[in-house]
Amino acid sequence: LSDWSSDVCSSDLPVVGLAASDAHARIGLTSIGEPYDTHASLPIPSYAAVFAAMSVSLNDVALTEDPIADAARIVSAFRAGNIVSAVDGLATGGRLQFTAASGGAKVVAGGQLDATGPVTLAASASALPGARIRLLKGGEVVAETQATTLERVVAPEQATYRVEVAVSGVPGSPPVPWLVGNPIYV
């Protein structure tokens, strides 16, 4: 996720990021090669553990139990990039919203804003106590708070902004973020 955030936040091209896993659920015991050969293997990690490690949520998508209409809503949300990826292996139950507004225009994560004046970036998260919302510009942290909301007014210059939520005690350098939102392109 941190490699993705650096690349996408320095890009001028719209990119949609989402959590995914490459699950093989086997560790080979007798070879260094592919564990699917004729040698013995262990079913570690399990598919259940791999798929429970991450999730994706779609902001502002209300399902109606009409599978055709719901599928269209889901595909549209994915294409628009209004997606939050969560590393559920770190924590669960968080929500993240991110918007940018300038003049009378307002966009959500994944959107492109044609700024006509100062840009108000706003993020809100329902998260664990002690979690930190981080605002990134071009992959660099420009603001951070432990409050449930973060708001920052920036100049109307071309830039890519994204938010993430971090929890304490997480491994990695930099530490793996818990919630990761898609960028807004100004």
Side-chain angles (χ1 to χ4, degrees):
L1 287 174
S2 51
D3 287 344
W4 172 83
S5 66
S6 297
D7 292 341
V8 75
C9 283
S10 61
S11 171
D12 293 330
L13 301 174
V15 175
V16 175
L18 56 110
S21 61
D22 182 15
H24 293 275
R26 288 191 195 185
I27 294 179
L29 295 177
T30 58
S31 70
I32 299 173
E34 185 64 41
Y36 301 107
D37 57 19
T38 59
H39 301 286
S41 65
L42 294 173
I44 300 173
S46 70
Y47 283 115
V50 170
F51 294 130
M54 294 179 279
S55 63
V56 174
S57 61
L58 304 173
N59 289 329
D60 307 322
V61 175
L63 301 180
T64 64
E65 297 186 15
D66 174 350
I68 294 173
D70 289 347
R73 285 183 184 88
I74 291 168
V75 169
S76 178
F78 270 89
R79 285 186 176 145
N82 195 8
I83 301 167
V84 175
S85 295
V87 180
D88 297 320
L90 300 176
T92 59
R95 287 197 37 87
L96 177 62
Q97 297 277 344
F98 181 41
T99 62
S102 178
K106 184 176 182 179
V107 298
V108 297
Q112 296 180 358
L113 179 69
D114 292 326
T116 59
V119 177
T120 301
L121 301 166
S124 64
S126 59
L128 298 173
R132 296 173 314 282
I133 300 174
R134 294 181 178 146
L135 173 66
L136 294 91
K137 175 185 178 185
E140 300 295 322
V141 176
V142 294
E144 185 172 1
T145 185
Q146 284 190 321
T148 57
T149 60
L150 182 147
E151 187 171 299
R152 180 129 182 192
V153 178
V154 298
E157 63 187 16
Q158 182 176 352
T160 303
Y161 296 94
R162 191 179 58 75
V163 292
E164 63 186 31
V165 177
V167 293
S168 59
V170 173
S173 181
V176 175
W178 169 37
L179 302 174
V180 177
N182 273 283
I184 290 177
Y185 303 90
V186 176

